[in-house]
Every structure is written in structure tokens, then in C-alpha cells.
Amino acid sequence: MTQLNSNDTLLRLAAVLDSRKGGDPDASYVARLFHKGDDAVLKKVGEEATEVVLAAKDLRQGGEKKALVGEMADLWFHCLVTLSHFDLSPADVLAELERREGLSGLEEKALRKSREREANGD
């Protein structure tokens, strides 16, 4: 497996995306998404997530790993665009993952449900 310094890569890409805010929509794909607003940004995440699912299902039917990796890269990219659009960063997500580290998925789900009930006054 390739050794990655993913945090640096994510932070560099996030900085580039942030720099596209207010950019020329005719000169930058990301600036165009930002300019179009929430619906356009979020629609791309949905589209890319669907393509990931299809590529993964295709992989089970003899498809190529490279296709799934490419679609996942597209999804991650558009997730980073979404974070930037809402003035968040990969560091925010990484901090949440670190907070969850060591918790079982079942424990985490139970904690979230408990917080939701408290917030709703149940």
C-alpha cells in the first residue's frame, strides 16, 4: 500500500478550493459551483455518491478497481468543495473522526440518538 500524507493533500486542496471563492465562474469549475449556490454544490455530491455506489457494484461484477478509486476521488473532491462552500475544512472533519476514534459504531449511534432526543425535548 502506498504511504500517504493525506492530511497535507487535503489541506492543500482545501486551500485551493477556498481561493476559488469569488473567482470567475467562466474561468474555474469550482468558482462556477460556488457561484451557482447550495443546490448546485449539493447536487454534485449526490451525483458523485451515486457514481461511487455504481462503480462499487460494478467492481463486484468484474469491474475495475481504478474506476471505483476515480469515482471516490470525485466524491471526496466534491465533499471538499461542499465543506469550503459552508466555511468548513477537512480539519473539522478530521477532528470529528478523532473524537469518535475508539468508540464503537454502535456506541456512537446511540450517543447521536440520545443527543437528538435531548435536542427535541423527548
Side-chain angles (χ1 to χ4, degrees):
M1 179 166 254
T2 304
Q3 182 66 29
L4 299 175
N5 194 344
S6 56
N7 193 31
D8 288 346
T9 301
L10 292 174
L11 294 177
R12 281 193 313 272
L13 182 53
V16 169
L17 296 174
D18 286 344
S19 76
R20 299 296 194 261
K21 287 182 176 180
D24 181 359
D26 293 327
S28 165
Y29 169 76
V30 172
R32 185 177 312 137
L33 277 178
F34 287 150
H35 181 74
K36 289 181 177 180
D38 295 357
D39 287 345
V41 170
L42 299 173
K43 181 180 176 186
K44 285 304 296 181
V45 172
E47 288 172 6
E48 298 302 339
T50 299
E51 291 175 10
V52 165
V53 169
L54 294 173
K57 290 180 80 64
D58 189 47
L59 184 58
R60 289 290 182 210
Q61 303 300 319
E64 303 228 355
K65 288 182 178 183
K66 184 177 179 179
L68 177 56
V69 169
E71 294 300 345
M72 192 67 72
D74 291 346
L75 175 59
W76 285 20
F77 176 84
H78 286 90
C79 287
L80 290 169
V81 170
T82 301
L83 287 171
S84 177
H85 182 69
F86 290 102
D87 298 320
L88 294 164
S89 75
D92 296 307
V93 177
L94 292 170
E96 177 62 12
L97 289 171
E98 287 175 16
R99 184 191 68 76
R100 294 180 186 185
E101 192 173 12
L103 281 178
S104 80
L106 296 175
E107 287 176 284
E108 175 60 24
K109 187 174 181 179
L111 283 171
R112 275 187 278 144
K113 284 187 177 188
S114 175
R115 286 188 208 121
E116 288 172 11
R117 282 193 299 271
E118 289 174 13
N120 293 328
D122 294 345

